Amino acid sequence: MCSYRFDTRLVHTGERSVNRADWHNATPTSAPIHGSTTFLYPTAQALDAAFAAGGDQVVYTRWGNPTIQALEALMADLEEGRGAVACSSGMSALYLALLAAGTPRGATEPHPRHILASRDLYGATETLLRDFFAAQSVAVSYCDMSDLAEVKAAISTHAPDVVLLESLSNPLLKWADVEAIVHYAHQADARVIVDATLATPVLHRPLVQGADFVVHSATKYLGGHADATGGILVARTGLLLDTARRYAIQLGMILGPFEARLIMRGIHTLGLRVRRQSESALIIAQALQKHPRIRRVIYPGLSEHPHHSLMSLQTCGLFGGLISFELANATREAAFAFMNRLKLILPATSLGDIYSLITYPPISSHRELNEAQRAEHGIGDGLLRLSVGIEDPQDILTDLESAL
Ligand SMILES: Cc1ncc(COP(=O)(O)O)c(C=O)c1O
């Protein structure tokens, strides 16, 4: 599909790849849902050959299934990677990426030695690093990935074998220069994992900038309709892909075929949704900036955002659908009262849906951090994060203004 432009590939890749002979010489327009856990072959010899072919054949759904493979083909094409592994959640895709990126060439054991991570990661990712990897004696250090001098110094001090970052951070919306980070990391022989959940492939494609893995929580923008939980990892090279695939099979991380179909359907409208959400977010951010009950608005589309120019260059002028803002009355009580007064915007713990959603990071994404740790991250008691949906932006704004 690579000869078509991105928006065309969003709609078509992965569909209609079935064998016509199996469908009375017709082709289903959209990839069918194969719920079957097992696949039969006409002879034991053919089954033996299918086993020998590994991930390229379908034998048992934990190893691969045509519906899941259709989604993987779509994501590999969009991200311009060697291949993708669809997982049961964003967290499982991240865990898989960390294991695979930390496996030295030719080794069979997952073995990250030292992970250098963004200081302002999604809360559950930070918990995974602390409670799982650090607890198993993997060294974990942190730096501000939007500060290249700090990244360079941290790579030379710690010599990590894995660098993990979110291209657009959550909830402070800092933008990282992936290409420059990859340059420093690869010089030090470290592999780079980019969690691009918030940016989506519509804003940027980290593998094209040299990253080794890109990871998405498909639960967010890719699915986009609040009805499927999933994660996707896309690998830049065949070796990284094979390593990730092997661990995914061994650990049983595979996504279910029903979710795969829902997420694939969501991705077909990703371009339309993200552009609309970006346009609406800019209108809303500009209006909130002028509101007397708002202390500050964080949106990279605003010219005063410190990463506005870099992001503008690297994302063709799109800044995504997330806005964070701090209430002038920066207390938990005021934040709760504000959320309780909203009528249209849903207080749902997620982002990237067609519906506008509001979250309060201290009780949701960053709940597992204590007050001091949150303060260190710049997450105060007045901070709220709005995920702009595809509704009319004026209705979203009216709801915010009434609640303020
Ligand atoms: C940036 C980011 N990465 C990963 C995840 C985890 O995704 P999931 O909830 O699908 O496991 C989230 C969830 O909010 C997220 O925001």
mmCIF file of all heavy atoms in Angstrom, residues 89-92 94 122 125 166 170 195 197-198 217-220 229-230 351, ligand 1:
data_model
loop_
_atom_site.group_PDB
_atom_site.id
_atom_site.type_symbol
_atom_site.label_atom_id
_atom_site.label_comp_id
_atom_site.label_asym_id
_atom_site.label_seq_id
_atom_site.Cartn_x
_atom_site.Cartn_y
_atom_site.Cartn_z
ATOM 1 N N SER A 89 -3.483 -4.345 25.650
ATOM 2 C CA SER A 89 -3.638 -2.991 26.193
ATOM 3 C C SER A 89 -2.389 -2.185 25.848
ATOM 4 O O SER A 89 -1.364 -2.763 25.431
ATOM 5 C CB SER A 89 -3.811 -3.025 27.721
ATOM 6 O OG SER A 89 -2.585 -3.419 28.319
ATOM 7 N N GLY A 90 -2.471 -0.885 26.063
ATOM 8 C CA GLY A 90 -1.291 -0.047 25.856
ATOM 9 C C GLY A 90 -0.177 -0.441 26.816
ATOM 10 O O GLY A 90 0.998 -0.451 26.454
ATOM 11 N N MET A 91 -0.544 -0.779 28.059
ATOM 12 C CA MET A 91 0.485 -1.145 29.040
ATOM 13 C C MET A 91 1.205 -2.426 28.614
ATOM 14 O O MET A 91 2.415 -2.553 28.793
ATOM 15 C CB MET A 91 -0.134 -1.330 30.439
ATOM 16 C CG MET A 91 -0.584 -0.041 31.119
ATOM 17 S SD MET A 91 0.588 1.325 31.049
ATOM 18 C CE MET A 91 1.984 0.650 31.924
ATOM 19 N N SER A 92 0.457 -3.401 28.053
ATOM 20 C CA SER A 92 1.143 -4.629 27.646
ATOM 21 C C SER A 92 2.063 -4.341 26.459
ATOM 22 O O SER A 92 3.149 -4.915 26.364
ATOM 23 C CB SER A 92 0.170 -5.781 27.383
ATOM 24 O OG SER A 92 -0.662 -5.491 26.308
ATOM 25 N N LEU A 94 3.679 -1.546 25.944
ATOM 26 C CA LEU A 94 4.852 -0.871 26.501
ATOM 27 C C LEU A 94 5.794 -1.865 27.186
ATOM 28 O O LEU A 94 7.012 -1.802 27.021
ATOM 29 C CB LEU A 94 4.405 0.165 27.537
ATOM 30 C CG LEU A 94 4.123 1.558 27.011
ATOM 31 C CD1 LEU A 94 3.367 2.369 28.054
ATOM 32 C CD2 LEU A 94 5.425 2.264 26.630
ATOM 33 N N TYR A 122 3.319 8.964 31.580
ATOM 34 C CA TYR A 122 2.004 8.556 32.066
ATOM 35 C C TYR A 122 2.205 7.794 33.392
ATOM 36 O O TYR A 122 3.127 6.971 33.499
ATOM 37 C CB TYR A 122 1.342 7.683 30.991
ATOM 38 C CG TYR A 122 0.143 6.918 31.430
ATOM 39 C CD1 TYR A 122 -0.982 7.572 31.918
ATOM 40 C CD2 TYR A 122 0.110 5.529 31.350
ATOM 41 C CE1 TYR A 122 -2.095 6.863 32.326
ATOM 42 C CE2 TYR A 122 -1.004 4.817 31.734
ATOM 43 C CZ TYR A 122 -2.103 5.489 32.230
ATOM 44 O OH TYR A 122 -3.200 4.789 32.627
ATOM 45 N N THR A 125 2.867 4.053 33.531
ATOM 46 C CA THR A 125 4.151 3.650 32.928
ATOM 47 C C THR A 125 5.259 3.853 33.952
ATOM 48 O O THR A 125 6.156 3.019 34.099
ATOM 49 C CB THR A 125 4.430 4.490 31.659
ATOM 50 O OG1 THR A 125 3.288 4.429 30.823
ATOM 51 C CG2 THR A 125 5.636 3.967 30.915
ATOM 52 N N GLU A 166 7.623 9.699 25.800
ATOM 53 C CA GLU A 166 6.350 9.992 25.141
ATOM 54 C C GLU A 166 6.606 11.220 24.273
ATOM 55 O O GLU A 166 7.092 12.235 24.786
ATOM 56 C CB GLU A 166 5.267 10.289 26.185
ATOM 57 C CG GLU A 166 4.891 9.052 26.980
ATOM 58 C CD GLU A 166 3.997 9.341 28.183
ATOM 59 O OE1 GLU A 166 3.440 10.454 28.284
ATOM 60 O OE2 GLU A 166 3.877 8.437 29.032
ATOM 61 N N ASN A 170 2.102 13.663 28.902
ATOM 62 C CA ASN A 170 0.767 13.645 29.492
ATOM 63 C C ASN A 170 0.886 13.946 30.991
ATOM 64 O O ASN A 170 1.567 13.204 31.674
ATOM 65 C CB ASN A 170 0.200 12.234 29.267
ATOM 66 C CG ASN A 170 -1.139 12.002 29.900
ATOM 67 O OD1 ASN A 170 -1.863 12.934 30.190
ATOM 68 N ND2 ASN A 170 -1.464 10.746 30.132
ATOM 69 N N ASP A 195 6.439 6.273 22.953
ATOM 70 C CA ASP A 195 5.000 6.122 23.167
ATOM 71 C C ASP A 195 4.343 7.328 22.491
ATOM 72 O O ASP A 195 4.452 8.457 22.980
ATOM 73 C CB ASP A 195 4.704 6.089 24.670
ATOM 74 C CG ASP A 195 3.208 5.942 24.978
ATOM 75 O OD1 ASP A 195 2.382 6.251 24.090
ATOM 76 O OD2 ASP A 195 2.868 5.542 26.108
ATOM 77 N N THR A 197 1.092 7.666 21.790
ATOM 78 C CA THR A 197 -0.357 7.577 21.996
ATOM 79 C C THR A 197 -1.041 8.933 21.810
ATOM 80 O O THR A 197 -2.079 9.035 21.162
ATOM 81 C CB THR A 197 -0.641 7.072 23.437
ATOM 82 O OG1 THR A 197 -0.086 5.767 23.571
ATOM 83 C CG2 THR A 197 -2.129 7.032 23.746
ATOM 84 N N LEU A 198 -0.448 9.983 22.394
ATOM 85 C CA LEU A 198 -1.116 11.290 22.363
ATOM 86 C C LEU A 198 -0.963 11.971 21.006
ATOM 87 O O LEU A 198 -1.815 12.752 20.593
ATOM 88 C CB LEU A 198 -0.543 12.208 23.454
ATOM 89 C CG LEU A 198 -1.217 12.107 24.825
ATOM 90 C CD1 LEU A 198 -1.127 10.731 25.416
ATOM 91 C CD2 LEU A 198 -0.625 13.125 25.787
ATOM 92 N N SER A 217 -1.264 3.245 22.958
ATOM 93 C CA SER A 217 -2.444 2.699 23.606
ATOM 94 C C SER A 217 -3.559 2.880 22.578
ATOM 95 O O SER A 217 -4.015 4.000 22.335
ATOM 96 C CB SER A 217 -2.782 3.465 24.886
ATOM 97 O OG SER A 217 -4.114 3.134 25.263
ATOM 98 N N ALA A 218 -3.987 1.766 21.970
ATOM 99 C CA ALA A 218 -5.041 1.840 20.935
ATOM 100 C C ALA A 218 -6.394 2.135 21.560
ATOM 101 O O ALA A 218 -7.369 2.432 20.862
ATOM 102 C CB ALA A 218 -5.081 0.533 20.152
ATOM 103 N N THR A 219 -6.441 2.050 22.889
ATOM 104 C CA THR A 219 -7.643 2.390 23.651
ATOM 105 C C THR A 219 -8.016 3.858 23.441
ATOM 106 O O THR A 219 -9.153 4.262 23.682
ATOM 107 C CB THR A 219 -7.345 2.181 25.159
ATOM 108 O OG1 THR A 219 -6.581 0.979 25.319
ATOM 109 C CG2 THR A 219 -8.598 2.101 25.984
ATOM 110 N N LYS A 220 -7.027 4.658 23.028
ATOM 111 C CA LYS A 220 -7.216 6.107 22.934
ATOM 112 C C LYS A 220 -7.589 6.501 21.504
ATOM 113 O O LYS A 220 -8.616 6.073 21.017
ATOM 114 C CB LYS A 220 -5.939 6.804 23.426
ATOM 115 C CG LYS A 220 -5.466 6.309 24.792
ATOM 116 C CD LYS A 220 -6.457 6.708 25.861
ATOM 117 C CE LYS A 220 -6.043 6.384 27.270
ATOM 118 N NZ LYS A 220 -5.943 4.972 27.621
ATOM 119 N N THR A 229 -10.301 -1.890 24.279
ATOM 120 C CA THR A 229 -9.011 -1.717 24.962
ATOM 121 C C THR A 229 -7.954 -2.483 24.172
ATOM 122 O O THR A 229 -8.162 -3.649 23.827
ATOM 123 C CB THR A 229 -9.103 -2.280 26.395
ATOM 124 O OG1 THR A 229 -10.094 -1.541 27.099
ATOM 125 C CG2 THR A 229 -7.779 -2.161 27.138
ATOM 126 N N GLY A 230 -6.858 -1.815 23.872
ATOM 127 C CA GLY A 230 -5.803 -2.505 23.119
ATOM 128 C C GLY A 230 -4.534 -1.688 23.075
ATOM 129 O O GLY A 230 -4.498 -0.528 23.503
ATOM 130 N N LEU A 351 -8.714 9.396 27.101
ATOM 131 C CA LEU A 351 -8.480 10.514 26.187
ATOM 132 C C LEU A 351 -8.610 9.973 24.772
ATOM 133 O O LEU A 351 -8.590 8.758 24.545
ATOM 134 C CB LEU A 351 -7.091 11.114 26.413
ATOM 135 C CG LEU A 351 -5.893 10.185 26.250
ATOM 136 C CD1 LEU A 351 -5.303 10.257 24.856
ATOM 137 C CD2 LEU A 351 -4.815 10.518 27.257
HETATM 138 C C1 LIG B 1 0.480 7.866 27.025
HETATM 139 C C2 LIG B 1 -0.152 6.588 27.467
HETATM 140 N N1 LIG B 1 0.510 5.430 27.278
HETATM 141 C C3 LIG B 1 -0.010 4.249 27.665
HETATM 142 C C4 LIG B 1 -1.246 4.174 28.278
HETATM 143 C C5 LIG B 1 -1.782 2.844 28.722
HETATM 144 O O1 LIG B 1 -2.769 2.403 27.837
HETATM 145 P P1 LIG B 1 -3.879 1.307 28.251
HETATM 146 O O2 LIG B 1 -4.785 1.947 29.239
HETATM 147 O O3 LIG B 1 -4.529 0.961 26.948
HETATM 148 O O4 LIG B 1 -3.142 0.155 28.827
HETATM 149 C C6 LIG B 1 -1.972 5.347 28.470
HETATM 150 C C7 LIG B 1 -3.285 5.288 29.133
HETATM 151 O O5 LIG B 1 -3.872 6.301 29.462
HETATM 152 C C8 LIG B 1 -1.409 6.584 28.067
HETATM 153 O O6 LIG B 1 -2.052 7.750 28.248
#
